[in-house]
Amino acid sequence: MVGQEDIRRHNLGTLLRHVHLDGPVSRATLGERMGLNRSTIGALTAELVAAGLVREETPAETGRAGRPSLLVRPEPSRAYVLAFDVAVDWLFAARIGLGGVVLDRRRAARPRAGPDLDRVVEVLARFGRQLREAAPPGSTCVGVGASYCGMIRPGDGMVRFGPDLGWVDQAFGAELGRRLGFGPPVSVGNEAHLGALAEQQRGAGVGFRNLVYLHGDVGVGGGIIVGGKLLDGEGGYGCELGHMVVNPYDGRPCGCGSRGCLEAEVGERALLDAAGRPAGLFGRAALRDVVADADGGDPVARQALRRVGDWLGIGVANLINLFNPGVVIFGGMLRDVYPGAAEPVRARIARNVLPVARERVRLRTSALGDDATLVGAAELGFARLLADPLGALARAAAPPVAGPRRGTG
């Protein structure tokens, strides 16, 4: 049976979630959204203000008669999370405050040197400690979230498969939590899944309940949101859009062991090879050089973008026919590549997508840029706070419980 305390906890979390995701919201709007009267909203807000999670302010002149409704604004300096992002070439860490505000950040290069769990968690744990030490007095770390460029087992942060650097069944979440040595367990998600959620909540997908997010790194990952919810699959490994086969007959070999996958035809190596770049050249800077050369009129670079754009268009056309999204968002390195490849992508959509499915779809680049996956990881860290604001804050702020003392003999 649901008691009054459960209802209060739920309402506090719902109110805080609205403010966290939407920024300043008036009391009146919160009442309308939550179906609660003014006095109840006032009481809930007062509790969150007392906890330091939100603050209230008088809005600017509205031009309407009567007393204006107070605005409720998130207070990013009180509660924050540590967010980590493991990409193929870089390691990122940030302290992110309530409301999604990036307060502090760190980054380090990640060499392409095969399985590197020990080095990754060593660097990230050091960053995490630095970020906590730099946080102002009175602030509290309420969670830890991490993004990884591979297939993540839900619940324990195990990387089941990370093809680009050979990670197989690596206990990333548990090991990072052990090295950090404090607070809640580390919640881990797939980078493209988290990027999709971040873009829907704060970026180019705001207002869309159905979207496709394509994230390019060395390969291509994907996240699909249907009816406002992430499509994650039976085991949590859904939406591996980069391994949709688009060229089965003479396709390029893929790191997954197949041939002709979308990421094999549009990923980093495909573009650099098509542009005639040396085999030893790789990374985001090399891709941006191709894009810059194409913008400058280089015919080889232009043709390379057209070739990659055609294969990308085939993949996007299939996704639009399957899921009828309101928007397709290009993130990661695809954010750099898409503008130069937009023409063949749109041509494929016009040629291969059912007219009723393409008439309303929008194509956009990521509004959050390279922060999309980091912001998505932060939302994993905020989950406990948004479910039980006062309880989670109290537990996070409590001193650690000492273990049993050993006898001296």
Side-chain angles (χ1 to χ4, degrees), residues 51-52 75-81 95 97 103 131-142 393 396-397:
E75 182 54 79
S77 62
R78 176 66 175 98
Y80 69 88
V81 301
R95 179 165 55 90
L103 302 169
L131 290 166
R132 283 190 78 205
E133 290 168 2
S139 62
T140 302
C141 179
V142 296
L393 186 63

Side-chain angles (χ1 to χ4, degrees), residues 175-243:
E175 187 62 18
L176 178 56
R178 187 183 72 81
R179 296 284 187 97
L180 285 169
F182 72 90
V186 179
S187 298
V188 185
N190 169 270
E191 63 173 357
H193 290 190
L194 297 178
L197 290 169
E199 289 291 340
Q200 188 208 28
Q201 293 171 348
R202 302 186 183 280
V206 169
F208 291 92
R209 290 178 53 78
N210 299 278
L211 66 83
V212 171
Y213 173 76
L214 287 164
H215 184 88
D217 199 345
V218 171
V220 175
I224 298 173
I225 292 178
V226 177
K229 296 183 178 180
L230 182 72
L231 186 66
D232 56 2
E234 181 67 20
Y237 310 124
C239 302
E240 282 295 321
L241 308 186
H243 298 290

